[in-house]
Amino acid sequence: MELHNNTGHPRRWAILGVLVISLLVVVLDNTILNVALRTLADPVHGLGASQGELEWSINSYTLVFAGLLFTFGVLGDRAGRKRFLMIGLVLFGLASLLSAYAQSPGQLIAARALMGVGGAAIMPVTLSIISNVFDPRERGRAIGVWAGAVGLAVAIGPILGGALLEHFWWGSVFLINVPVVAVGVVLVALLVPESRDPRPGRIDVLGVLLSVVGLVALSYGIIDGGEHGFDRPLAWGSILVGIAVLGWFVQHERRSDHPSLDVRLFRVPRFAAPVAIVGLVFFAAMGSMFFGSFYLQLVRDYSPLQTGLLFLPFAGAQLVFAPRSAAMVRRYGGKAVATVGLALTVVSLGAFVFIGASTPIWIVLLVFLIQGAGMANIMPPATESIMSALPREKAGVGSAVSNTIRQVAGALGVAVLGSVLSAVYRSDIGDALTGLPTQAQDAANESISGAYAAAGQLGPAAPALISAANDAFVTAMHWAAGLSAVIAALGIIVVLRWMPGKEDVSVAPAAPVAEPELAGTA
């Protein structure tokens, strides 16, 4: 009978609901903050943050989060995933409270870094707990719900942030996390069972330290290059140091008798191919969402709340299709489903090449819908393939690798595509700045946001500058969109060449699957 064959936890679907709540608060916060940046820069209604301080209010979180994801995934397997989840939620809630009442940009940046610590403890264990409480036959469906929640949070964030900013002060975008975290902590304590690797062995101290140093250095170089250009020695120096340290990490893991990451897994198509797909897709998608938000708010003059609402087709598609992707994989195989998902994503990204300043908004909404449907059929089969390549007791490692690749690739996508956007924009707007005051020229040449700010001081010359800035930005967006489509298309090649088909499932060089330790159930 199914009752005897199913090795999942009796309360697995309730546990999944708790994990989704925990995940939502992390993903929501990042997307909410994006709509609050303009308010934070206001010296009266915000903190009077400079452009650099605004960037670091985002980057301090990203840097810490990316640097600790892998380490916390490994440590969660050893110390207990429920314990790590609760610690992460408490830290995240405390840091959110500190962020809400920050008195200066420096305090906000520090509080955001602490939020990164909490987020890094939460994200990998949510996925590894799913692998432990669900039977392998149900895991794909559960991961689909998990992925759908990520997509939903990405789109809900701007809506919630815009609504809060219209009615409350800027700190409300952080304060909203506190009651959600409080509910999450209570539900985790009551419902989620403890699980850990029953045979963890010695901790790979050097490997853990190398992963942190390498990921932080690489992420810093990517972020710095994206903001200030990749012609700076600091950017390339950090990137090269990061790559060198991560290379040392791989060599160390190959030789260690107690590695934190069995690098032999990257020889297994069922693990390596979906990891590559996740990286390529998030590189392309996060970069496109970056320029899409500017396009809607500045070129099309939508408010933050309206912009958030316009992303709803993306969220709706994620919510509808991601949970159903497991059934599609069972019927057609992960290779076919991921290929179709990638093709839809390439089409949606490529469509931005043809979108202009006056394109009917329903076309833009259709593009977001197609992108959401595409990504909803990429992430679940890719994530399920990664997680199924490992035994349950090592689930944190698989989750950490998947999430680390996603975070670093997303940051790299924003940096690289943002640099392309900036370079084309500056090249295109140059002639339109002739004759303007030096200060206005500098601001308008920096970004479309700067052009709008400068236009506010120019009087009769403002409309001409805004028109030129819009035209330059749209041209730049076309180039960035074309590049993002090409990057996503590389994922199709990876899937067709290396991802196992329906009848071709490789066996990972991992220990036999052992039943997880389930303790502390309520």
Side-chain angles (χ1 to χ4, degrees), residues 44 73 103 143 224 260 265 319 337 374 427 454:
V44 178
Q103 301 298 306
I143 289 175
D224 185 79
S260 54
L265 284 167
L319 198 60
V337 173
S427 173

Side-chain angles (χ1 to χ4, degrees), residues 411-435:
L412 185 59
V414 171
V416 172
L417 294 176
S419 295
V420 171
L421 195 76
S422 296
V424 177
Y425 169 84
R426 288 169 184 160
S427 173
D428 210 56
I429 200 174
D431 293 340
L433 303 181
T434 305

Side-chain angles (χ1 to χ4, degrees), residues 180-398:
V180 179
V181 164
V183 171
V185 168
V186 172
L187 292 177
V188 168
L190 293 175
L191 293 175
V192 177
E194 184 61 283
S195 63
R196 57 173 63 87
D197 186 347
R199 295 179 296 275
R202 288 184 295 152
I203 189 167
D204 177 20
V205 177
L206 179 58
V208 165
L209 290 176
L210 289 175
S211 73
V212 173
V213 173
L215 287 169
V216 168
L218 178 62
S219 301
Y220 181 86
I222 291 168
I223 289 168
D224 185 79
E227 289 172 5
H228 306 293
F230 286 95
D231 54 346
R232 286 158 46 97
L234 179 61
W236 278 111
S238 296
I239 290 172
L240 292 176
V241 167
I243 292 173
V245 173
L246 290 175
W248 182 8
F249 167 77
V250 171
Q251 286 297 107
H252 169 73
E253 296 301 285
R254 289 178 62 186
R255 296 170 181 166
S256 175
D257 58 0
H258 57 288
S260 54
L261 173 64
D262 186 352
V263 293
R264 292 177 300 163
L265 284 167
F266 289 98
R267 298 176 184 171
V268 180
R270 185 156 54 104
F271 183 87
V275 166
I277 295 165
V278 168
L280 291 170
V281 166
F282 268 81
F283 179 102
M286 294 307 292
S288 68
M289 294 197 79
F290 173 75
F291 63 67
S293 180
F294 279 97
Y295 167 76
L296 291 172
Q297 289 195 56
L298 294 174
V299 177
R300 302 303 295 263
D301 198 29
Y302 288 106
S303 70
L305 178 57
Q306 290 171 327
T307 298
L309 290 169
L310 290 171
F311 277 112
L312 274 180
F314 176 88
Q318 291 269 309
L319 198 60
V320 170
F321 292 108
R324 290 167 172 76
S325 64
M328 300 294 288
V329 169
R330 283 194 300 270
R331 184 170 182 178
Y332 301 107
K335 187 173 193 171
V337 173
T339 300
V340 172
L342 279 161
L344 289 173
T345 304
V346 170
V347 168
S348 65
L349 295 172
F352 267 102
V353 175
F354 304 99
I355 288 175
S358 58
T359 300
I361 199 63
W362 68 266
I363 295 179
V364 179
L365 296 178
L366 180 61
V367 169
F368 287 149
L369 180 70
I370 295 171
Q371 185 179 359
M375 291 189 66
N377 285 292
I378 298 169
M379 295 311 300
T383 306
E384 159 63 8
S385 184
I386 292 169
M387 299 306 291
S388 65
L390 293 164
R392 281 181 171 183
E393 66 270 18
K394 299 292 186 183
V397 174

